[in-house]
Each structure stands twice: as C-alpha cells, then as structure tokens.
Amino acid sequence: MYSLQKPGRRPMKHLALCGLMLMAVHGLLPSAFAQQNIDREQSSGNAGTSAEQDTSSAQLRPTAADQTANTLNAVRNRRDSQIVIQRTPYVPNEFERYVQTQASRLNQLSPNNGSANNGPGNTNGEQIRRLGADLLTDLPDGLGNQDPLPQVPDDYIVKPGDEIALTMWGSADANLRLTVDRSGQIAVPRVGTVTVAGTRQAELGNVISRRVAQVFRNFQLSASVSQLRSVRVFVTGFAQRPGSVNVSALSSILHAVMRAGGPGAAGSFRDITLRRGGKVVAKLDLYDLIVRGDRGGDQWVQPDDVVHIGPVGPQVGVIGSVNLPAVVELKSGETLVDAIAMVGGFNAVADRSRVAVERLSDRSTGRVAQVSMLASEGAHSPLGAGDLVRVFSAISAALPQDKQNKRVRVEGEVVRPGDYVLPPNSSLADAVQAAGGFTPDAYLYGTEFTRESVRQAQQQNFDRALRDLETDLAKGASSRRVATTEEVATLATADAANARLVDRLRQVRPTGRVVLQLPPDATALPAMALEDGDRLSIPAKGTSVGVFGSVFNSGSFIYASDKPISHYVDQAGGPTRGADPASMFLIRANGTVVSARQNGERTFEAQIVLPGDTVFVPEETNKTTFVQDAKDWTQILYQFGLGVAGIKSLGL
C-alpha cells in the first residue's frame, strides 16, 4: 500500500510514474491530477541523479493511490462536516400545557401583573417546560458531528478503526496517518506492520518506535490517536429520534441520548438503561446531572449497545415563587420538599411557610390544600401524578395599612428635604417633623400633596369619562341630518375638531393631588394619615398672580394685598371680544376652584385673590354672527309659511 522512496532509486520513481499513468487511463484519477504528477515526475527525473544521491535521509510517504484516497477522504470529511443536525421542535405534553395555563392565571392575579417578580421564577411570558428539556432538546446545529472529547486521554486503548498520526524525523522523514485494520495493525512504509490494538495511547510511541528501530537509526518519532473510530449505538424507547446513531468511541450514554434528541414528551429523564448482550449494565438518572451535576452513572458505550429510554414517570408541576418553574418527574418515595429542591428551591421573595397543592383527584371539585412547610409532615407529604404545587410570594399581596412602613418624599420649604421611611400610622405632621420642620418662608396654604392610589383612581375615572365622551360624539354624528352641502362641510369640520379634542384629552394624565382644606394663614398641616408613596411639596409664599386665557396680555402680575379678581383681569387688558366672562374661574393655590357660574359674574369678580392664585378666562365655544342667526330664522319662517299655505290649499 505504501512505498519507500530512497534517494538514487530511480526504478521506484518510474514505477510510481507508470502507476499514475495506468490509473489515469482507467479513470481512477482525474486527468488534470494525473498530468500534473506525470509532469512533476518527468521534470524531477531530468534534473539528474547527483542531487538525489547527496540526500542522506529516507522519506516515507504514501503512494499516489494513497494520496488520491486521502484527497477523496478529505473531501468527504468536509462534506460530512457541513451536515447540520436539524433541531427537533419541542412539543409539550398535555400536562405541561395545563401547568402553563395555570401559571399564566397565577401571574394575572398578581397586583402588579408580574412586575414585582422579575426574577428567575417570574412566569410572565415564560414557557413552562419539563425540567431538563432545554438541556437535551436544544442541541446546537452541527454539534453532533464533533467528538465529545477533542483530546484523547492517555489511558485510551487503541482499537481497530482508529486513525494514528505518525511523525518521524532524523534519518527517516514521515508524516503519516495510518488506520488500524481489523487485525489491530498499522502498515508503516519500509518498516512493515506494527500491532497497536490494545495499546494505551501513552505507550503508542514506544511500541511503534521499537519496531521502527529495527530498520532505522538516529531518528525521533511521535505517535498519537488523531481520529477515533465510529461506534454504532441503538437508541430505543421514547426518544425524540429513536434509531441507530453513530458516536465517537469516547461517547457515553448521555452523548447517545443527546444525539437522539433526548427523551420525547412521553420519555423519561430518570429511567435510561444501557443494555449490552441482552443484560442491563448501567442505569442513568439525568436528574443527577441536571440537579446535582453528578455523572457517576454515565458509562462509555460500546458497538451495538442499546440505550433504552423508558416511559415518563409521575409528573408534578411547580410554579410561583421558585427559581425555575417547571414540570418535574418523581420517583417512588420523593416528596414535596424534593420537588421544590429540583426546581432550585424558593426564590428570594417566596413565602417559605406555606404552599398550595392542587391534587389531581380534587381537581374536579376545585379543592386546593394548603400545606405548612414548617411542619415535618407537611414538607415531606407525598405527591401524586398530575399534582400542581403553587409557591406564594411574600410581596405580591399588599399588607394592611396599619402594618406597612410609609415611604414618603418631602420637598420644598423644609429643613431637610428628601425621601423618608416612616413607621405605620404616621401622619403629615410626622413627615414634616422627620424633614426638620418648616422654614420661615413656608406657605402652607399652597401645599401640594399627591397620592399614588388617588392618581390611579383619577386615571380610571378620567378614562371612563373619555370613553363616554367618545360614545356621545359618535352617537351625535350618526344621528344628525344634513340638507345642504354647507351643512356637510360644517359637520365634517366639527367632527375633525372633536377628534383633535379627544386626542389631546387622551394625553392628559392626572396628578393624584389631594386638596388640603387649609385657611390662608394656616401654620400646621391637617392630621391626615400617610400612605406608601405619598409626596408632600411645601412652596414658598408666592409674589405673583397669573391671568391666562382670552385676555389681551396673558401673564403673571405682582401680587397686591386685598385686591379682587377684576383688578388683575384689568391689568391683563380685560377679556377679548371672543371671551366668555360668564365662565371665568379662579384656581386657588391650595387646589380649590372658584367659578363665575357659582355666584354670578359680579360676585366672582369681587373675590379677593391670594398669592399664587391663577385666573383663567375661557374662550367662547359657540360663536354665531347676527347674519348667521338671521339666515337661520329666515329659513325657519320660510318653511313655516310653506306649511301654512299648504294647509290652506287643502281646505283644512
């Protein structure tokens, strides 16, 4: 199979040349490849023999036929390396789908819709799978064609089918890749056969070196296993892709299972056996690897071994405040505490004192048992197939107000503004005291107090009112009748204006302000209990009054003591022609509103303005000219006259 080329031996070169020509004639070599080698051999022969005779070392290399075979093998290996293992889509079983549905319902019951539990146990949008399904089914593309152990260990025993990488230098040069044949031997050019089967890789160099030393002197040698033989293993039972798989000689049960896609929806993660010669030689529980990282039961496979995946055992679902909500498979004797440990245990916000267990036998009645984890009999209570375990969160349910600490913010004219955490049953006065009290410039009448719960209620009421407004506008637009083209254009303009108004109202966001009923000369805040998230802002005493709306010069004006509203409106130039003075209103610094429609326009204008107040003069919304009114009345009278004339003509 191999030839040894010695310097000065031209007959050997001519034989190789003749072999190349014969192979080209019979189609064993591509024509270009054969011509290239023939030209190279002829040019080498014409160079003379003197240079060849000066060479002092032998060169061991494969023959031309072996080079062609190696080239074809390389092409085939490149083609095989491009084969991609398609991922098998994961198909959850019926119980997994049920657990996913229950986890989604549990998440919807959370007051923050899952936002309070953003850790690993959060089930908001997370798919509930069997424990270990991601490890064995999400096999990266092409990973199955790689050796599980790229570096062959020193204690590996060489067997037929392995490939040996042999490198020699010194008196003999060689860089060979030799395959161990069925008899356990490799053929080294000019040296002969060497029995290597049964030899440990660490001793492989010494075994070959002793045989080569019988032919050559003054050489060095390196030998190692470059490519392992392929082993065929049968994966049976409830696998994703049952059948025969080819794995490396250093593969184990786990590698064969992963090449088969792992256990299917009906396959067990805990009942995997290795059978050899009709006998069970090993049992593998994948939970030992997944939960504890223990591969003690994972043994090497041999040719024609059978890896059998049994049917799935009893399954229970664990959801809620655990580190990894999942469906776990139980063995006989495993209890509630074992199931929780398999999913990583309780997360940081879990209520560790109790869990809820929904038994399969009680599912038709809706009965759910609450189990105390503090009691030994509760923690070690047995579970059955189809049971569902819910772990509660300690922060998802709101505590009573009398047990909550109050996180409040105090801003403005206080000695130490900032955020404070106050004990339960604290009041506004306690918040001010924690902030060091008021400064001399504090204007308590203008205090702005906002509350988150009030803001949420205001937002709900505002959204409801906006929906009612949109409904009324839609009903009015659909019930109106038009008789002329002008009316059609007018209605279209009105509808566009209403749409713009609704869009602007939709952008409004309530502040959650609570109006404090304080007199203008107040020196203390009311005795009002605090809630978590409250905000208190005490401004300085204002020095201006604002006048805005349909006036000639909107702006802020210097506050003058004991001046009425009309004084500041006059400073702004008074209402414009399009203003609606009868709808003016005053916004007090404490948040209350005084309107001209409450007590009449004159009484309103006589109201005394306080520092920080704001006067608003609205625009008239229903504007019609005298000509438009006269036209409408003329049309009405005309239609009325036609009706009277018609009645008289009928003699009625």
Side-chain angles (χ1 to χ4, degrees):
M1 184 176 180
Y2 290 88
S3 65
L4 176 63
Q5 182 179 355
K6 186 73 174 179
R9 298 269 185 102
R10 298 203 46 191
M12 297 294 292
K13 182 173 296 185
H14 288 300
L15 289 176
L17 179 60
C18 294
L20 287 173
M21 295 176 64
L22 290 174
M23 294 178 68
V25 170
H26 291 283
L28 299 178
L29 283 178
S31 59
F33 179 85
Q35 185 63 38
Q36 179 181 2
N37 283 275
I38 293 171
D39 295 342
R40 184 168 58 249
E41 295 293 342
Q42 290 177 348
S43 61
S44 176
N46 295 333
T49 60
S50 59
E52 296 175 356
Q53 294 174 352
D54 294 337
T55 304
S56 59
S57 62
Q59 297 180 352
L60 282 68
R61 64 180 185 182
T63 63
D66 294 326
Q67 290 178 348
T68 305
N70 292 335
T71 302
L72 295 176
N73 290 332
V75 173
R76 187 180 299 109
N77 292 334
R78 286 196 299 270
R79 182 193 62 192
D80 294 340
S81 64
Q82 296 174 356
I83 298 177
V84 176
I85 296 180
Q86 298 295 330
R87 296 185 182 182
T88 302
Y90 183 79
V91 180
N93 58 30
E94 183 179 3
F95 182 63
E96 291 177 76
R97 295 193 296 268
Y98 170 76
V99 174
Q100 178 68 53
T101 302
Q102 295 301 313
S104 301
R105 291 179 180 177
L106 180 64
N107 182 66
Q108 293 175 358
L109 293 176
S110 175
N112 296 323
N113 197 20
S115 61
N117 186 13
N118 293 327
N122 181 21
T123 58
N124 188 17
E126 181 179 351
Q127 184 178 5
I128 305 298
R129 290 187 174 186
R130 296 174 61 191
L131 182 63
D134 293 336
L135 173 65
L136 296 180
T137 60
D138 291 345
L139 186 65
D141 294 341
L143 187 61
N145 290 334
Q146 299 178 2
D147 288 339
L149 295 177
Q151 185 176 1
V152 181
D154 291 338
D155 58 351
Y156 174 74
I157 304 299
V158 178
K159 293 183 179 180
D162 291 338
E163 184 180 81
I164 306 299
L166 178 61
T167 303
M168 298 174 58
W169 62 95
S171 61
D173 294 332
N175 188 5
L176 307 173
R177 289 183 176 271
L178 309 174
T179 302
V180 182
D181 58 18
R182 293 181 178 273
S183 60
Q185 297 178 336
I186 58 174
V188 181
R190 198 182 175 187
V191 175
T193 59
V194 182
T195 301
V196 295
T199 304
R200 296 171 59 248
Q201 181 183 238
E203 302 173 353
L204 188 60
N206 295 331
V207 172
I208 300 177
S209 180
R210 287 195 295 268
R211 180 67 180 87
V212 174
Q214 298 176 4
V215 180
F216 295 98
R217 296 291 185 270
N218 301 324
F219 69 92
Q220 293 183 355
L221 180 147
S222 174
S224 63
V225 178
S226 60
Q227 186 172 349
L228 300 174
R229 70 191 186 282
S230 179
V231 175
R232 185 184 64 175
V233 178
F234 298 95
V235 181
T236 62
F238 299 89
Q240 290 276 10
R241 298 185 297 270
S244 63
V245 295
N246 291 324
V247 294
S248 167
L250 289 178
S251 297
S252 63
I253 303 175
L254 179 60
H255 298 137
V257 171
M258 294 184 69
R259 285 296 303 273
S268 174
F269 280 75
R270 314 197 65 181
D271 183 17
I272 301 176
T273 57
L274 176 64
R275 303 180 181 183
R276 185 176 300 149
K279 298 181 180 180
V280 177
V281 296
K283 292 184 178 181
L284 177 63
D285 185 352
L286 288 178
Y287 277 16
D288 291 339
L289 172 64
I290 297 170
V291 179
R292 292 178 289 273
D294 182 13
R295 287 186 61 185
D298 192 17
Q299 295 190 12
W300 307 116
V301 296
Q302 295 183 10
D304 292 334
D305 280 354
V306 176
V307 177
H308 183 75
I309 301 177
V312 64
Q315 291 180 299
V316 299
V318 184
I319 60 176
S321 297
V322 292
N323 287 308
L324 183 63
V327 174
V328 298
E329 182 181 351
L330 299 180
K331 283 186 174 181
S332 177
E334 292 180 332
T335 61
L336 175 61
V337 67
D338 297 322
I340 295 177
M342 291 176 187
V343 295
F346 300 107
N347 64 15
V349 299
D351 184 356
R352 301 168 184 264
S353 62
R354 60 190 178 94
V355 298
V357 179
E358 181 181 349
R359 306 284 185 183
L360 179 62
S361 57
D362 298 332
R363 192 157 297 156
S364 59
T365 61
R367 180 183 176 185
V368 178
Q370 182 167 294
V371 179
S372 173
M373 298 298 293
L374 301 179
S376 176
E377 60 275 9
H380 294 87
S381 59
L383 296 175
D387 289 353
L388 182 63
V389 179
R390 286 190 177 97
V391 179
F392 300 103
S393 172
I395 64 174
S396 61
L399 295 173
Q401 289 291 332
D402 59 350
K403 294 184 179 180
Q404 291 184 17
N405 291 328
K406 316 301 180 183
R407 300 173 183 85
V408 298
R409 171 171 290 187
V410 184
E411 300 175 326
E413 296 300 320
V414 291
V415 177
R416 295 186 299 273
D419 296 331
Y420 294 92
V421 179
L422 303 178
N425 300 323
S426 297
S427 63
L428 291 175
D430 297 328
V432 173
Q433 184 179 2
F438 301 112
T439 64
D441 296 332
Y443 184 44
L444 271 65
Y445 181 72
T447 299
E448 183 178 354
F449 177 64
T450 58
R451 175 164 287 177
E452 178 62 23
S453 60
V454 174
R455 187 198 65 78
Q456 295 177 1
Q458 290 176 348
Q459 186 67 52
Q460 293 177 358
N461 295 331
F462 182 80
D463 294 340
R464 187 181 300 110
L466 185 58
R467 289 194 298 269
D468 294 341
L469 175 61
E470 290 180 301
T471 303
D472 293 340
L473 292 176
K475 289 181 179 179
S478 62
S479 62
R480 284 184 300 216
R481 294 183 179 180
V482 292
T484 64
T485 306
E486 295 179 357
E487 292 181 359
V488 173
T490 302
L491 292 179
T493 304
D495 291 340
N498 291 335
R500 290 193 299 269
L501 174 62
V502 171
D503 291 338
R504 293 188 63 180
L505 290 176
R506 191 174 286 113
Q507 297 174 1
V508 175
R509 293 291 180 267
T511 61
R513 182 174 183 178
V514 179
V515 176
L516 301 179
Q517 301 294 336
L518 294 173
D521 56 350
T523 58
L525 297 178
M528 184 176 180
L530 292 173
E531 289 184 7
D532 191 46
D534 286 350
R535 180 174 177 178
L536 187 65
S537 179
I538 298 96
K541 190 171 184 179
T543 59
S544 63
V545 175
V547 181
F548 301 96
S550 294
V551 293
F552 287 96
N553 185 23
S554 300
S556 298
F557 303 92
I558 298 176
Y559 170 74
S561 179
D562 298 332
K563 293 295 181 180
I565 295 175
S566 58
H567 170 76
Y568 296 98
V569 175
D570 292 340
Q571 285 189 340
T576 62
R577 178 176 297 181
D580 184 11
S583 299
M584 288 192 301
F585 58 90
L586 173 68
I587 303 176
R588 295 289 189 185
N590 67 343
T592 59
V593 178
V594 180
S595 174
R597 294 184 178 274
Q598 293 175 334
N599 299 315
E601 184 178 345
R602 292 185 178 181
T603 305
F604 171 76
E605 291 182 353
Q607 292 279 342
I608 301 300
V609 178
L610 300 174
D613 289 355
T614 301
V615 180
F616 189 81
V617 182
E619 184 81 8
E620 177 66 43
T621 57
N622 187 16
K623 297 179 181 180
T624 57
T625 63
F626 175 77
V627 176
Q628 290 174 334
D629 292 338
K631 181 180 178 181
D632 293 339
W633 280 107
T634 301
Q635 185 72 18
I636 293 172
L637 293 175
Y638 173 73
Q639 296 293 340
F640 179 74
L642 289 178
V644 172
I647 293 173
K648 288 183 178 181
S649 65
L650 294 175
L652 299 176

